[in-house]
């Protein structure tokens, strides 16, 4: 009974922990216990003992479920029948609850049945005989029969072969489907049956229907389908009835095969339709009815098209639900309208009834997207939810356009706008919501419009100047122009008006309107970039005069818009235009950089904003190709003459460092080889700046520069690269002496990428530098950081080193320096090997991403080939240093045995297999812990 008491103590510590450490210790102990052979007998005692606390019984039931799934092979086959009997006895003893224990025991029995072929033929009959005769145990039977198909069909962790699964599921499920249908019918109609049991009957039936074992036709031959529709009158059974009706309808998707069932269901649905209006004060009931009709509409949409007169009541019912004022109900119908629209699109002709349904739907959706009379009364969360929902409703408006044609829908919205403006002009009260909602619908239709339309959209454009000057109206109107920019590209005569209309949006005091204006300007310049070229001077003047008054996000988007226009220009003209806009920004940066007195906080923010605007333009223009236009001659040196002093003075400010290095990234791409004259100076500045600050962005630019120019052979370049490597490495070592790894993941990632570029482009500098051992130690240390990008970067460096060609004695005609490389690699690996193997194994057991495992296996194989005896000596200590549960002991010994055997026989590929097996055991263990989480 020692184990029993230990389990009870651990459970008490888990549920009433003195501290976090006690909780973690108890949790780890209990999970290890669940792996053990002793857990079978101990949980048997806990489960059946009357003295065990309820928590212990639940733990025992959960453990049985877990062990049946993962550890049944621990038992001698002779103990399987007694295990079944134990579970059945326990299930009987808990027939009155609690339900969570009944569920766990039912899951355990279901998993056992799938792995116990000798019981499968009679398993279902056995449980019916045992639990089905006594009214007190019928709920337990129904729970077990509900769980059985779910567990058999969905628990992929149960270790059976495909053939075993096929035979087992056939015997347990298919062979019993008819009997289950009859049994459920009997319980549904039994004298004195309670609504609780009837609800269980419906959920049990659902489980077998979802599993595909009981067909809709089989249900239709029993009273169960009728009971389900009648149960909609019962509040207690309503939800269960809705679910089973939806599932039965779903199972009639094969229309031709299920036509006899459909002929039973559809009249029932027609009779149900008036219930929607009667339930208008009960949103939960309307929601359930909406689910039923929407499911029927989706499944029978082809029949709706073929026989609209018969099936149109379903469409009408869904339309009623779509028109509900409760916006939680409305989206239930959206999938139907979308799928029906898709089916209509494949038909040459459509019933007028369906066209009318979509016309009505469009009006309903526009009504729903009206803002409330006083939006200020909405909480911020309610406002966000409503705005998000408007966009979802906008998708349904697009479905209406797809069916009715965009011209018809645009005409309808044009009429709504015209009527609203006419009423306003006549002195009648017109709310801004009555104008904004049609404008929003125009935005939704934007993706469906015909860009060549010359009939309706020009009239809509002509209305824009007549709209009331309300910020919400102006916001939506500007975004209409944004969505219709492709149309504008076919009608460039509207560009002057739109440019003026959008520009006035920047003057609004409502922050959302300028944001919409900057958004619209970007799209106008993207889709109409060729036609916008003549307006570039106007944009330059606008930015010069108004730009300083805009918030930075809007100003940045304007520079993006400018860049799109520049990208459409002829090369020389584009270069000159880019220079014009860039010089404005660079001039302001230069003025700050050259100030003798310290700049103000606002001046530094302006510099950061200017750098961001430059970055945005460079990101869009990207490059002028191999040969730079003459307008760019000398531009790179001129720009660097501004950035260098800026970084010298203010490169210790994080924001300035980030912004400047991002601009440098774009500049290196823009100028390409023309940047070569400034690269040594740039590398030197990056290495000194990184040394001074430890900012990752400096290491990133150094790595990028080495990637682009690392193969240049000039002594000045090589010296700059070597200096950057050594200073950066020393700085990272210094940082790791002051900070934890988890505090500098960005630094490690960018440093390791720089090292990787150095390894690829300048192996002579990489291997021969005195900081090489430090670089490898940094890479090894980085393996313990839970950060995917850092892990991959580190593994890439380490794999490159331990698999380098210089270590291959069979390499023909090796370069002269290979022996030097090999010597330093061997020396470092000999020194760092114990920690290296420890961190690799720790990552495999714990936090390495699955995609990295193949790299780790390659590294282990290389270690086995080149450091065979050392690896054998490193592994035991490494396995001891990695924290692992007691259940890992056999797997650890197996790894040691397999690696030793593989190395001794020079079968090095088997080392990969051995480590791979160890990783799979670890993965299964983690999976098991998630599966068997203790509650």
């Amino acid at each position: 009974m020692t184990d029993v008491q230990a389990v009870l103590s651990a459970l008490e510590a888990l549920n009433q922990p003195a501290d976090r450490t006690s909780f973690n210790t108890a949790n780890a102990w209990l999970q290890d216990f669940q792996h053990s052979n002793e857990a079978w007998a101990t949980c048997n005692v806990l489960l059946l003992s009357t003295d065990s606390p309820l928590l212990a019984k639940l733990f025992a039931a959960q453990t049985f479920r877990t062990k049946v799934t993962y550890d049944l092979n621990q038992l001698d086959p002779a103990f399987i029948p007694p295990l079944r009997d134990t579970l059945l006895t326990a299930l009987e003893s808990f027939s009155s609850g609690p339900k969570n224990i009944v569920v766990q025991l039912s899951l355990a029995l279901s998993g056992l049945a799938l792995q116990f072929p000798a019981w499968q033929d009679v398993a279902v009959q056995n449980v019916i005989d045992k639990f089905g005769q006594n009214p007190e145990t019928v709920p337990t039977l129904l729970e077990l029969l509900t769980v059985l198909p779910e567990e058999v069909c969905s628990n992929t962790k149960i270790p059976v072969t495909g053939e075993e699964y096929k035979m087992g599921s056939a015997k347990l499920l298919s062979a019993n489907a008819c009997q289950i249908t009859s049994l459920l019918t009997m319980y549904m109609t039994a004298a004195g049956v309670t609504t609780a049991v009837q609800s269980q009957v419906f959920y049990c039936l659902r489980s077998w229907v979802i599993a595909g074992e009981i067909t809709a036709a089989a249900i239709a031959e029993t009273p169960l389908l009728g009971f389900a529709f009648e149960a909609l009158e019962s509040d207690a059974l309503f939800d269960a009835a809705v679910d089973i009706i939806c599932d039965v309808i779903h199972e009639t998707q094969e229309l031709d095969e299920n036509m006899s069932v459909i002929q039973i269901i559809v009249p029932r649905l027609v009779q149900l339709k008036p219930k929607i209006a009667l339930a208008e004060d009960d949103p939960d009931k309307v929601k359930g009815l909406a689910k039923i009709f929407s499911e029927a509409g989706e499944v029978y949409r082809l029949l709706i098209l073929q026989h609209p007169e018969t099936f149109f009541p379903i469409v009408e019912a869904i339309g009623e639900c779509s028109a509900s004022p409760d916006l939680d109900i409305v989206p239930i119908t959206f999938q139907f309208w979308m799928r029906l629209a898709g089916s209509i699109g494949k038909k040459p002709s459509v019933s007028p009834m369906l066209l009318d349904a979509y016309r009505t739907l469009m009006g309903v959706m526009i009504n729903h997207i009206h803002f409330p009379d006083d939006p200020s009364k909405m909480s911020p969360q309610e406002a966000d939810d409503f705005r998000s929902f408007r966009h979802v409703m906008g998708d349904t408006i697009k479905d209406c356009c797809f069916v009715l044609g965009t011209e018809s829908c645009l005409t309808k919205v044009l009429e709504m706008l015209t009527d609203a403006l006419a009423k306003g002009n006549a002195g009648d009260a017109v709310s801004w919501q009555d104008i904004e909602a049609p404008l929003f619908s125009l935005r939704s239709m934007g993706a469906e419009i015909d860009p060549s339309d010359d009939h309706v959209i020009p009239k809509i454009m002509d209305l824009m100047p007549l709209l009331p000057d309300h910020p919400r109206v102006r916001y939506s109107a500007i975004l209409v122009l944004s969505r219709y920019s492709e149309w504008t590209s076919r009608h460039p005569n509207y560009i002057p008006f739109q440019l003026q209309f959008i520009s006035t949006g920047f003057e609004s005091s409502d922050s959302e309107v300028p944001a919409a204006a900057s958004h619209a300007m970007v799209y106008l310049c993207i889709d109409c970039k060729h036609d916008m070229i003549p307006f570039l001077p106007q944009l330059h003047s606008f930015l010069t005069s108004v730009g300083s008054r805009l918030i930075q996000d809007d100003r940045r988007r304007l520079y993006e818009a400018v860049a799109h226009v520049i990208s459409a220009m002829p090369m020389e003209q584009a270069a000159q235009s880019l220079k014009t806009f860039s010089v404005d920004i660079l001039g302001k940066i230069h003025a700050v950089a050259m100030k003798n007195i310290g700049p103000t906080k606002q001046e530094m923010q302006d510099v950061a904003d200017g750098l961001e605007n430059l970055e945005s333009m460079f990101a869009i223009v990207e490059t002028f190709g191999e040969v730079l236009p003459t307008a760019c001659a000398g531009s790179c040196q001129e720009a660097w003459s501004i950035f260098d002093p800026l970084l010298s003075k203010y490169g210790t400010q994080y924001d300035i460092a980030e912004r400047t290095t991002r601009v440098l990234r774009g500049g290196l791409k823009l100028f390409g080889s023309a940047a070569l004259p400034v690269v040594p100076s740039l590398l030197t500045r990056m290495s000194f700046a990184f040394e001074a600050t430890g900012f990752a962005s400096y290491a990133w630019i150094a790595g990028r520069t080495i990637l682009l120019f690392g193969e240049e052979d000039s002594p000045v370049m090589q010296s700059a690269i070597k200096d950057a490597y050594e200073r950066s490495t020393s700085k990272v070592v210094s940082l790791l002496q002051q900070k934890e790894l988890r505090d500098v993941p960005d630094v490690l990632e960018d440093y390791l990428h720089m090292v990787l570029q150095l390894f690829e482009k300048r192996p002579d500098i990489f291997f021969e530098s005195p900081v090489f051992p430090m670089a490898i130690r940094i890479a090894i240390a980085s393996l313990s950081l839970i950060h995917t990008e850092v892990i991959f970067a580190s593994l890439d460096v380490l794999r490159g080193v331990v698999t380098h060609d210089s270590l291959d004695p069979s390499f023909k005609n090796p370069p002269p320096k290979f022996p030097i490389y090999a010597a330093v690699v061997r020396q470092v690996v000999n020194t760092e090997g114990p920690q290296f193997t420890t961190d690799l194994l720790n990552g495999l057991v714990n936090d390495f991403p699955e995609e990295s495992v193949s790299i780790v296996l390659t590294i282990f194989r290389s270690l086995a080939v080149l450091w065979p005896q050392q690896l054998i000596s490193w592994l035991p200590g490494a396995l001891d240093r990695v924290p692992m549960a007691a259940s890992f002991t056999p797997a650890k010994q197996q790894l040691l045995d397999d690696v030793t055997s593989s190395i001794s026989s020079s079968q090095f590929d088997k080392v990969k297999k051995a480590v791979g097996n160890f990783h799979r055991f670890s993965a299964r263990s983690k999976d098991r812990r998630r599966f068997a989480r203790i509650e």
Side-chain angles (χ1 to χ4, degrees):
M1 298 297 291
T2 305
D3 282 346
V4 170
Q5 189 54 51
V7 169
L8 294 175
S9 299
L11 286 171
E12 183 178 359
L14 189 72
N15 286 276
Q16 297 179 345
D19 50 46
R20 188 68 188 173
T21 301
S22 301
F23 176 88
N24 291 336
T25 301
N27 188 53
W29 188 91
L30 288 168
Q31 290 187 333
D32 286 342
F33 167 78
Q34 288 184 316
H35 281 266
S36 68
N37 286 336
E38 292 74 19
W40 293 106
T42 304
C43 288
N44 187 50
V45 173
L46 288 169
L47 194 61
L48 299 180
S49 172
T50 56
D51 296 331
S52 298
L54 198 59
L55 182 63
K57 292 178 184 289
L58 175 59
F59 172 75
Q62 290 174 326
T63 301
F64 271 124
R65 193 267 172 116
T66 301
K67 293 192 76 64
V68 163
T69 299
Y70 288 97
D71 297 332
L72 202 58
N73 60 354
Q74 290 178 344
L75 293 181
D76 186 288
F79 288 102
I80 302 295
L83 172 62
R84 172 201 59 197
D85 297 340
T86 294
L87 294 173
L88 287 169
T89 301
L91 193 58
E92 185 175 26
S93 69
F94 289 104
S95 57
S96 59
K99 184 178 177 179
N100 53 2
I101 294 180
V102 172
V103 169
Q104 291 299 319
L105 292 172
S106 298
L107 289 167
L109 276 165
S110 300
L112 179 63
L114 190 58
Q115 300 173 79
F116 189 5
W119 188 41
Q120 289 169 354
D121 286 323
V122 295
V124 171
Q125 187 60 55
N126 284 170
V127 297
I128 291 174
D129 292 342
K130 187 172 184 65
F131 301 108
Q133 311 305 317
N134 183 348
E136 292 184 2
T137 58
V138 166
T140 302
L141 172 64
L142 290 171
E143 188 64 48
L144 177 54
L145 293 177
T146 301
V147 163
L148 177 64
E150 294 172 356
E151 185 73 352
V152 169
C153 294
S154 64
N155 188 357
T156 58
K157 312 298 182 185
I158 298 174
V160 290
T161 66
E163 188 61 30
E164 288 170 340
Y165 174 80
K166 183 179 178 181
M167 293 180 62
S169 62
K171 290 179 179 180
L172 291 169
L173 302 180
S174 304
N176 292 293
C178 291
Q179 182 182 10
I180 297 301
T181 306
S182 300
L183 184 76
L184 296 178
T185 303
M186 179 188 72
Y187 286 140
M188 182 64 77
T189 58
V193 65
T194 64
T195 55
V197 168
Q198 288 178 319
S199 181
Q200 274 194 286
V201 168
F202 283 138
Y203 285 120
C204 183
L205 181 60
R206 278 195 78 207
S207 182
W208 286 74
V209 169
I210 291 170
E213 299 296 341
I214 295 179
T215 65
I219 296 173
E221 293 174 357
T222 72
L224 289 172
L225 183 59
F227 290 150
F229 276 97
E230 291 164 12
L232 293 172
E233 299 295 331
S234 165
D235 290 342
L237 296 176
F238 183 80
D239 290 339
V242 167
D243 288 340
I244 187 59
I245 291 170
C246 287
D247 288 327
V248 171
I249 291 172
H250 187 78
E251 291 304 310
T252 60
Q253 289 182 86
E254 299 296 332
L255 301 178
D256 293 337
E257 296 175 12
N258 291 286
M259 192 54 67
S260 60
V261 185
I262 295 170
Q263 290 172 345
I264 296 171
I265 291 174
V266 170
R268 287 279 194 174
L269 294 174
V270 173
Q271 294 171 14
L272 191 62
K273 180 175 172 287
K275 303 289 185 184
I276 298 173
L278 295 175
E280 62 179 351
D281 295 329
D282 187 344
D284 289 336
K285 190 157 286 188
V286 176
K287 189 179 294 184
L289 296 173
K291 290 178 181 177
I292 292 173
F293 281 106
S294 296
E295 182 67 39
E298 287 186 50
V299 174
Y300 304 147
R301 64 189 184 280
L302 296 182
L303 296 175
I304 290 171
L305 295 177
Q306 295 166 6
H307 309 285
E309 64 288 342
T310 302
F311 288 86
F312 192 68
I314 295 175
V315 179
E316 289 181 307
I318 297 171
E320 284 187 58
C321 297
S322 296
S324 169
D326 189 328
L327 297 186
D328 288 333
I329 294 170
V330 177
I332 296 171
T333 67
F334 288 168
Q335 182 82 357
F336 161 73
W337 295 114
M338 181 194 73
R339 298 191 70 182
L340 181 63
S343 298
I344 287 174
K346 301 172 185 176
K347 296 289 181 181
S349 61
V350 185
S351 165
M353 289 189 293
L354 294 177
L355 295 178
D356 286 342
Y358 274 97
R359 290 190 188 98
T360 301
L361 176 66
M362 183 174 166
V364 165
M365 290 297 107
I366 294 177
N367 183 60
H368 280 324
I369 61 179
H370 273 67
F371 272 102
D373 292 339
D374 187 359
S376 64
K377 292 182 179 179
M378 301 171 76
S379 70
Q381 186 60 53
E382 288 172 337
D384 286 345
D385 290 344
F386 180 67
R387 288 187 175 195
S388 298
F389 187 51
R390 293 179 97 211
H391 289 287
V392 178
M393 288 189 284
D395 291 336
T396 302
I397 291 175
K398 283 191 280 188
D399 296 331
C400 295
C401 283
F402 185 75
V403 172
L404 302 171
T406 51
E407 183 171 334
S408 171
C409 295
L410 289 170
T411 300
K412 175 66 176 176
V413 174
L414 176 62
E415 291 172 356
M416 296 172 74
L417 287 170
T418 303
D419 290 347
L421 291 174
K423 288 179 181 177
N425 292 334
D428 295 336
V430 177
S431 69
W432 65 263
Q433 291 91 334
D434 289 338
I435 295 174
E436 193 278 339
L439 287 172
F440 184 90
S441 72
L442 286 175
R443 289 168 55 193
S444 301
M445 298 177 201
E448 300 293 328
I449 65 162
D450 177 5
S452 61
D453 175 76
D454 291 323
H455 180 59
V456 184
I457 298 178
K459 296 177 182 177
I460 293 172
M461 292 296 169
D462 293 342
L463 278 182
M464 292 294 178
L466 307 177
L467 297 175
D469 188 20
H470 187 282
R472 299 309 310 168
V473 173
R474 177 55 64 98
Y475 173 83
S476 286
I478 289 173
L479 287 180
V480 168
L481 300 186
S482 173
R483 292 299 300 270
Y484 286 58
S485 56
E486 188 180 351
W487 178 87
T488 306
S489 70
R490 305 276 189 96
H491 302 79
N493 54 304
Y494 279 88
I495 288 178
F497 148 68
Q498 291 192 12
L499 199 56
Q500 177 63 29
F501 190 84
I502 293 169
S503 296
T504 57
F506 290 106
E507 301 169 6
S508 173
S509 59
D510 185 311
S511 62
E512 291 188 348
V513 179
S518 63
H519 187 83
M521 191 72 80
V522 170
Y523 278 96
L524 186 65
C525 290
I526 289 174
D527 287 329
C528 308
K529 53 189 175 185
H530 293 284
D531 293 304
M532 283 292 294
I533 291 173
F535 298 95
L536 198 59
Q538 184 177 333
L539 288 175
H540 183 255
S541 298
F542 181 82
L543 272 169
T544 302
S545 58
V546 179
S548 60
R549 300 203 299 269
L550 302 178
I551 64 170
Q552 170 57 13
D553 278 348
D554 296 338
R555 188 164 51 237
R556 174 183 52 77
R557 278 193 283 263
L558 282 176
Y559 276 103
E560 287 178 9
V562 164
H564 284 293
V565 178
I566 291 173
S567 70
M569 290 178 159
M571 194 73 73
E572 286 291 341
Q573 188 181 355
Q576 185 58 55
S577 296
L578 180 62
K579 185 173 183 178
T580 298
F581 283 89
S582 299
V583 164
D584 290 348
I585 298 171
L586 289 170
K588 295 173 183 177
I589 294 172
H590 183 255
V592 172
M594 293 295 103
K595 284 186 71 171
N596 293 323
I597 58 173
T600 65
K601 183 177 179 180
Q602 184 58 51
E603 285 176 323
M604 292 309 296
Q605 184 60 54
D606 291 343
V607 167
D609 292 344
L611 291 167
E612 185 180 32
N613 297 332
L614 268 181
E615 177 199 353
S616 297
M617 288 198 294
F618 286 174
I620 292 165
V621 175
E622 290 192 328
T623 179
F624 291 121
E626 292 293 326
V627 180
L628 286 179
T630 55
C632 292
S635 296
C636 185
Q637 290 90 330
E638 292 169 8
W640 179 242
S641 69
I642 295 172
F643 292 131
D644 193 32
L646 176 70
L647 290 174
S648 176
K649 283 188 175 181
Y650 306 112
T652 56
Q653 296 184 24
Y654 182 78
D655 199 33
I656 297 299
E658 281 292 305
R659 295 295 180 200
T660 305
T661 51
R662 289 182 182 181
V663 173
L664 293 176
R665 174 186 182 179
L668 288 171
K669 186 171 185 178
L670 180 72
F671 289 108
S673 59
L676 193 56
V678 306
V679 166
S681 172
L682 184 149
L683 266 175
T684 299
R685 176 60 62 199
M686 294 303 105
S687 60
F688 274 99
F690 182 68
E691 189 176 49
T693 65
F695 293 160
S697 55
Y698 291 129
W700 191 94
I701 287 294
R704 183 70 182 172
T705 306
I706 293 169
L707 170 66
L708 296 174
F709 305 103
E711 294 175 342
E712 295 291 331
D713 288 328
S714 72
V716 175
M717 181 70 75
Q718 292 184 45
S719 176
I721 291 173
K722 184 174 184 293
D723 188 59
Y725 174 36
E726 294 178 353
R727 286 182 183 276
S728 299
T729 302
S730 298
K731 179 61 179 179
V732 174
V733 171
S734 174
L735 280 174
L736 295 183
Q737 291 171 346
Q738 303 164 25
K739 298 182 178 182
E740 297 291 333
L741 284 167
R742 63 175 177 270
D743 297 329
V744 287
D746 55 336
V747 173
L748 290 170
E749 182 184 353
D750 290 334
Y751 168 78
L752 288 167
H753 279 299
M754 184 195 75
V755 168
L756 196 57
Q757 298 304 333
L758 199 62
F759 168 75
E760 295 286 347
K761 299 294 184 179
R762 299 301 319 199
D764 52 340
I765 296 175
F766 175 64
F767 286 115
E768 295 181 54
S769 170
V771 302
F772 172 70
M774 288 191 284
I776 298 304
R777 281 195 288 274
I778 292 168
I780 292 172
S782 299
L783 294 174
S784 60
L785 187 65
I786 305 175
H787 193 290
T788 298
E789 289 76 12
V790 173
I791 290 170
F792 273 108
S794 176
L795 288 172
D796 285 341
V797 170
L798 295 167
R799 175 180 55 181
V801 169
V802 300
T803 62
H804 193 263
D805 289 340
S806 64
L807 299 167
D808 183 1
S810 65
F811 194 89
K812 294 181 179 180
N813 302 317
K817 290 192 174 185
F818 265 26
I820 300 173
Y821 301 169
V824 295
V825 170
R826 287 188 179 279
Q827 183 179 354
V828 170
V829 175
N830 284 334
T831 303
E832 305 299 330
Q835 188 62 48
F836 187 18
T837 51
T838 299
D839 288 339
L840 287 173
L841 287 173
N842 184 62
L844 277 181
V845 170
N846 292 304
D847 300 306
F848 279 180
E850 188 63 30
E851 298 82 358
S852 71
V853 173
S854 62
I855 304 176
V856 177
L857 298 184
T858 298
I859 291 172
F860 267 109
R861 185 190 186 284
S862 185
L863 291 175
V865 171
L866 299 167
W867 290 271
Q869 296 309 312
Q870 293 95 322
L871 180 59
I872 291 174
S873 68
W874 294 335
L875 272 178
L879 288 167
D880 287 341
R881 285 187 291 273
V882 176
M884 286 182 260
S887 57
F888 275 75
T889 301
K892 288 159 66 174
Q893 188 58 51
Q894 189 68 50
L895 175 64
L896 288 173
D897 293 344
D898 290 347
V899 169
T900 302
S901 172
S902 302
I903 290 175
S904 299
S905 60
S906 298
Q907 294 178 296
F908 299 112
D909 282 337
K910 288 190 175 181
V911 172
K912 291 177 67 173
K913 183 178 179 182
V915 178
N917 288 340
F918 183 73
H919 167 67
R920 281 188 287 276
F921 175 84
S922 171
R924 285 197 301 271
S925 179
K926 285 191 286 188
D927 184 58
R928 174 189 181 130
R929 287 170 186 262
R930 286 191 294 267
F931 179 82
R933 186 164 45 245
I934 299 167
E935 300 174 355

